[in-house]
Amino acid sequence: MGNKKNQPDDQIFTDAIGRLDQAFEQDHLDPEVLERLKYPRAALQVSVPVRMDDGSLRVFEGYRVRYDDSRGPGKGGIRFHPNVSLSEVKALAFWMTCKCAVVGIPFGGAKGGITVNPKELSRLELERLSRGFIQQIADFIGPETDVPAPDVYTNSMIMGWMMDEYSKIRRQHTPAVITGKPIPLGGSLGREDATGRGAYYCIKELESRRNWKPEKVRVAVQGFGNAGQHVAHLLHGDGYRIVAVSDSQGAIYKPDGFDVASLMYMKNESRRLKAVYCDGSVCESVDAQQLSNAQLLELDVDLLIPAALENQITVDNATRIQAPVIVEVANGPTTSEADKILNAQGTLVVPDILANAGGVTVSYFEWVQNKAGYYWPLKEVHAKLHTIMQREFGNVHNMMQHHGTDMRTAAYMLALSRIGDAISAQGTDRYFSAENR
Ligand code: NAD
């Protein structure tokens, strides 16, 4: 990614909260709400000493940020990545705050992360790191205060270790402290593909509004991980042509479209897409062209789905983006400067805080099920997710049309009005002003 090196330390966060001012200009929010949302409620920085398999000791830095809890407990994933920084975690926690408000679920926003390359650790080292992190943040999180979940390079197995560690510390089974757990430990059915499925429901809304014929829609997906694979798979099932996919090692392109199930099998068996084009016979059988990640973003396609990491569409490449529609499955893939260029080009961007909200929505379902001790069938999870995504896509779309703005600004306006309602209900200057006393 290399973005962290190019940016002043707090740039990602500053860029993220810059969206607030844009939405504020369009709407008449209480200025106190805006001021409150420019600062995280609390940020914790920890160090996690881990005994490595060879007997040596390594210390990893980690963070947990609770951005806002006006609408409910903080909610947001834990990321393991070498580029994790406090600025990034604050930005991600801010986005979570807005995301939970956009889909109307009763959570605030939070995020966590450890600066680590998890691919360099053995499974036992990873488990010690995960449990060690929970030991450091146990007093900061909890089912009623701040509820973590998976993010980049963390998964249900890691959530299971973390829940187990927290339960040991509290001396009681506490499944609702974390979501995205394995099913036998209180996970929800439908969590695994929820982010991709939520984005898919958004795309189905676009399909009906724009009269798309799926077989004519060429799709490029940047980042063939959890979220990217599932949205590609669901779209492919409806006849969409998935013509390009990528991972951290590079991209592959096939104008007729890939068989996504085979790609998923190969990626998940070999851990890298490269095997798809590098392993001789497989290479010939898939007949794919090799591209760089930068080339994938600039392909002549109808729908571009960034599903890797932030800051992928920037001032450097925005003018070369040809896709007329971008559905942001990753968090923050487009910088605000790039956004201006895309808007001027007439590109429709379905923003991350709406398009990838399926994951946190099913996380909310998991938390509800854990608290109730009663578990729902898969069909019910899908139906409830569909209802929420369809409703909130419609709300954001209507707001965009009503205010003549772009979809991202509309999503922020919706989020801010909901967060603003909660903050105002707790009392602001207007409430305490002399005439109301
Ligand atoms: P993941 O770790 O499963 O997958 C990430 C994928 O991106 C991997 O295949 C990796 O190889 C690839 N990648 C990394 N760098 C890349 C690059 N420069 N170019 C192309 N591909 C690259 O992670 P995920 O859970 O699928 O998350 C992906 C994005 O979606 C992140 O921004 C995350 O914050 C966001 N997101 C995920 C969820 C979720 O529930 N998984 C929910 C909301 C948002």
Side-chain angles (χ1 to χ4, degrees):
M1 248 49 34
N3 300 304
K4 193 181 155 196
K5 283 190 208 90
N6 301 336
Q7 300 206 0
D9 200 34
D10 228 21
Q11 186 58 42
I12 301 177
F13 177 63
T14 310
D15 200 58
I17 60 166
R19 316 274 197 199
L20 281 176
D21 294 309
Q22 281 161 21
F24 191 73
E25 277 166 24
Q26 293 273 342
D27 221 341
H28 302 290
L29 284 170
D30 189 325
E32 272 192 22
V33 171
L34 181 72
E35 197 53 24
R36 282 267 296 270
L37 287 175
K38 286 190 172 170
Y39 304 89
R41 190 58 71 92
L44 180 68
Q45 179 166 357
V46 298
S47 59
V48 188
V50 175
R51 184 67 58 197
M52 308 303 279
D53 292 345
D54 66 2
S56 65
L57 184 83
R58 273 183 72 185
V59 180
F60 297 89
E61 281 190 303
Y63 309 91
R64 185 76 194 168
V65 171
R66 192 172 327 132
Y67 201 90
D68 185 77
D69 52 9
S70 314
R71 301 182 64 261
K75 186 85 195 78
I78 295 173
R79 173 175 294 199
F80 287 179
H81 195 276
N83 282 359
V84 163
S85 65
L86 181 58
S87 176
E88 181 186 63
V89 176
K90 281 196 296 182
L92 290 162
F94 165 74
W95 284 322
M96 285 307 300
T97 308
C98 298
K99 193 182 303 183
C100 292
V102 167
V103 283
I105 58 176
F107 283 130
K111 203 79 181 191
I114 300 180
T115 314
V116 57
N117 181 356
K119 292 177 190 170
E120 288 172 356
L121 302 189
S122 72
R123 186 178 278 224
L124 281 172
E125 288 166 345
L126 201 57
E127 178 170 355
R128 290 195 282 270
L129 176 65
S130 305
R131 289 181 182 275
F133 183 56
I134 291 302
Q135 286 160 17
Q136 300 301 321
I137 67 167
D139 291 333
F140 199 76
I141 60 171
E144 309 303 333
T145 47
D146 178 353
V147 184
D151 191 65
V152 175
Y153 296 143
T154 54
N155 56 20
S156 60
M157 178 179 70
I158 294 174
M159 297 305 110
W161 293 332
M162 289 181 166
M163 188 277 276
D164 182 57
E165 191 63 30
Y166 184 87
S167 296
K168 279 185 181 147
I169 292 167
R170 293 280 169 259
R171 290 184 170 271
Q172 53 185 312
H173 189 59
T174 320
V177 70
I178 203 159
T179 59
K181 300 180 294 293
I183 305 292
L185 295 180
S188 174
L189 293 174
R191 177 63 185 84
E192 191 65 17
D193 76 351
T195 302
R197 183 172 287 274
Y200 164 76
Y201 290 145
C202 289
I203 294 165
K204 295 307 275 182
E205 292 303 301
L206 284 173
E207 179 186 303
S208 67
R209 282 169 174 77
R210 299 194 156 208
N211 295 320
W212 280 349
K213 302 270 169 292
E215 57 289 351
K216 296 223 165 98
V217 181
R218 298 157 304 159
V219 186
V221 182
Q222 186 206 34
F224 202 58
N226 175 309
Q229 288 186 17
H230 287 300
V231 67
H233 190 235
L234 287 163
L235 290 174
H236 182 247
D238 283 1
Y240 282 78
R241 271 161 60 197
I242 311 300
V243 298
V245 298
S246 66
D247 64 11
S248 55
Q249 321 229 348
I252 48 175
Y253 174 53
K254 190 177 178 218
D256 303 344
F258 289 107
D259 173 40
V260 176
S262 316
L263 281 188
M264 284 169 76
Y265 176 77
M266 285 185 252
K267 164 79 182 163
N268 297 329
E269 283 297 297
S270 71
R271 312 306 309 156
R272 64 205 170 104
L273 277 169
K274 225 174 172 184
V276 176
Y277 48 81
C278 290
D279 286 359
S281 58
V282 181
C283 174
E284 282 141 37
S285 66
V286 296
D287 191 21
Q289 197 183 321
Q290 195 173 334
L291 300 179
S292 68
N293 260 302
Q295 287 171 312
L296 175 139
L297 294 172
E298 296 168 17
L299 281 173
D300 174 20
V301 290
D302 305 294
L303 174 59
L304 174 63
I305 304 182
L309 291 174
E310 60 265 25
N311 290 348
Q312 299 301 302
I313 303 175
T314 66
V315 273
D316 298 331
N317 62 0
T319 52
R320 294 194 300 276
I321 303 290
Q322 299 190 61
V325 179
I326 299 175
V327 174
E328 295 183 333
V329 168
N331 284 308
T334 312
T335 64
S336 48
E337 288 305 310
D339 237 358
K340 289 179 197 150
I341 298 171
L342 294 175
N343 288 337
Q345 280 171 198
T347 310
L348 177 79
V349 181
V350 183
D352 47 6
I353 57 169
L354 171 66
N356 71 25
V360 74
T361 304
V362 176
S363 273
Y364 163 54
F365 298 162
E366 181 175 333
W367 181 78
V368 170
Q369 293 170 78
N370 290 154
K371 284 164 74 80
Y374 178 75
Y375 290 83
W376 310 344
L378 184 61
K379 251 179 143 174
E380 194 171 337
V381 172
H382 286 173
K384 285 184 157 75
L385 175 63
H386 189 208
T387 302
I388 290 180
M389 295 307 300
Q390 190 175 39
R391 183 184 67 216
E392 301 306 342
F393 183 98
N395 281 335
V396 173
H397 201 269
N398 290 346
M399 195 161 244
M400 170 180 81
Q401 289 183 324
H402 181 70
H403 288 266
T405 184
D406 59 279
M407 210 164 175
R408 189 188 311 279
T409 307
Y412 275 95
M413 286 162 67
L414 179 62
L416 291 188
S417 72
R418 287 178 175 163
I419 300 166
D421 286 348
I423 293 178
S424 302
Q426 290 164 353
T428 63
D429 180 45
R430 285 182 194 169
Y431 177 84
F432 291 110
S433 66
E435 72 251 34
N436 289 328
R437 257 184 224 133

